[in-house]
Amino acid sequence: MEPEPDHTKPSTSAAAAGHRKHLAMLERLSKRAAAAAPAPDQDSPPSLSAAAAAIDDLDRLVAEASHSLPPYELRSALAAASDLRAAHRLAASDLRPKKSFSFRNKSKAPKNPPQDPPPTLPPPPDQPNPSVEAILPGLGFRGRRDATLVKDLRVSDEKDGDFTLADLVSCQVYLKGKCRALHVHKLKDCRVFVGAVFGSVLIEDVERCAFVMAAHQIRIHEATATDFYLRVRSRPIIEDCCGVRFAPHALKYEGIGEDLRDAGLEEETGNWANVDDFKWLRAVQSPNWCLVPEEERLQTIDISDVQEREDDN
């Protein structure tokens, strides 16, 4: 009797091939992003924007591959993207003008000084500071205080692109529809409601805020006393955070079901409760995060009637 054919090898081989393909793509895009990072003596806003776009591409690729990458390789890919973004911000800071200084000549004046002083040369023109747009490109809300900010991404001219929230204080932010990636930087005392992000969300330097959103991947750096109501395909990642809490997604508006389906986020995975703290390597629970007690959780919030505007309160 002839032995039965082994049907497991093709599937195993296919999985391995797919895994190698993901790794190869990550390596190529990481090299591309590193090459796009401007050298210190060649910084300019256009090159910064190009580098930011390449790093965003790497973030999106990591988000897409996060479901199939082993934990160690996912950590390595996320660390590479984080290092590139840190180098990008360092390059941006080098564009800020530095204070000029001069040395005083303490030597004695000559016995016969010239009658007319030499002409004074005008100071060199200041180099422009890099704009927030150069560092965090894309459509967005920046530099607002005590404002209600509403955007319907379904009717935007730049729909399905990147969106940025930066330097906001005491603001209510409502984003309907879906976007490719969301960048959040330096928010304080804000409430943020986001429809669907079919790529990654990067949140940095937030304090006393609340976020309600759905995304494929969410990374949180330097957050303090902030609540996150999430639907997320992969495990949320925190780093250098303190007093952050997590709860299930609690947002609805007319058409959100279609937005979630289009973004591949229609299913609840339960990953909102499976948080990875990259700065806590012990086997016991990290003290930096916890779940929001059920009695304190927000009820589902309906923003269907919130109309698009950008008004100060």
Side-chain angles (χ1 to χ4, degrees):
M1 180 181 294
E2 295 183 0
E4 294 184 0
D6 186 359
H7 296 287
T8 61
K9 292 184 179 179
S11 60
T12 304
S13 176
H19 179 57
R20 289 194 298 271
K21 180 181 178 182
H22 274 131
L23 292 179
M25 292 173 65
L26 284 171
E27 183 178 1
R28 286 199 306 272
L29 197 48
S30 178
K31 290 179 179 179
R32 171 186 159 193
D41 58 348
Q42 296 177 346
D43 292 341
S44 66
S47 64
L48 284 173
S49 298
I55 297 171
D56 289 341
D57 288 342
L58 178 59
D59 279 338
R60 283 189 288 275
L61 183 57
V62 173
E64 292 169 2
S66 62
H67 318 302
S68 58
L69 286 175
Y72 172 78
E73 289 170 358
L74 177 59
R75 283 173 179 258
S76 299
L78 290 171
S82 179
D83 290 344
L84 287 170
R85 196 169 293 279
H88 174 263
R89 286 187 176 160
L90 180 62
S93 67
D94 288 341
L95 284 180
R96 296 188 178 94
K98 298 178 176 59
K99 293 183 179 180
S100 60
F101 67 95
S102 60
F103 294 101
R104 289 188 176 183
N105 187 357
K106 295 184 179 180
S107 60
K108 294 182 180 180
K111 294 182 179 180
N112 298 316
Q115 296 297 322
D116 296 327
T120 302
L121 297 176
D126 290 339
Q127 296 294 323
N129 287 336
S131 64
V132 176
E133 289 82 357
I135 301 174
L136 297 171
L139 191 68
F141 298 126
R142 301 171 172 88
R144 305 298 300 273
R145 177 185 289 270
D146 298 319
T148 299
L149 310 170
V150 186
K151 189 70 177 179
D152 193 336
L153 300 172
R154 297 168 296 185
V155 297
S156 170
D157 292 336
E158 300 181 41
K159 62 182 179 179
D160 296 348
D162 291 6
F163 203 91
T164 291
L165 304 174
D167 297 308
L168 304 180
V169 178
S170 300
C171 291
Q172 303 279 333
V173 181
Y174 303 89
L175 302 180
K176 299 179 184 179
K178 59 186 186 296
C179 61
R180 181 175 55 191
L182 178 66
H183 307 277
V184 180
H185 179 69
K186 210 173 184 60
L187 269 61
K188 183 179 292 188
D189 298 314
C190 293
R191 288 162 61 92
V192 179
F193 306 92
V194 181
V197 181
F198 55 86
S200 63
V201 176
L202 178 60
I203 299 174
E204 297 180 295
D205 193 6
V206 297
E207 182 178 357
R208 297 189 304 273
C209 295
F211 293 88
V212 185
M213 61 178 59
H216 278 251
Q217 183 189 72
I218 297 176
R219 288 182 291 151
I220 305 164
H221 298 264
E222 298 180 348
T224 305
T226 294
D227 291 346
F228 298 90
Y229 292 78
L230 307 178
R231 176 178 293 182
V232 58
R233 288 286 302 276
S234 58
R235 298 165 67 100
I237 295 169
I238 66 172
E239 193 170 5
D240 296 319
C241 295
C242 179
V244 294
R245 308 190 303 174
F246 293 83
H249 190 250
L251 181 67
K252 71 175 183 178
Y253 56 81
E254 185 177 352
I256 191 173
E258 181 180 354
D259 292 335
L260 292 173
R261 283 192 300 272
D262 290 347
L265 296 166
E266 67 275 17
E267 295 182 3
E268 174 56 71
T269 63
N271 276 331
W272 59 270
N274 299 322
V275 180
D276 284 334
D277 186 347
F278 274 17
K279 287 299 181 71
W280 185 260
L281 303 180
R282 301 180 186 177
V284 297
Q285 165 70 33
S286 165
N288 299 317
W289 70 274
C290 65
L291 303 183
V292 180
E294 290 190 16
E295 63 273 14
E296 296 182 22
R297 293 177 185 175
L298 295 175
Q299 299 298 313
T300 299
I301 299 171
D302 190 346
I303 63 171
S304 299
D305 296 332
V306 179
Q307 300 299 318
E308 182 167 346
R309 69 179 187 273
E310 188 177 344
D311 300 333
D312 291 335
N313 291 336

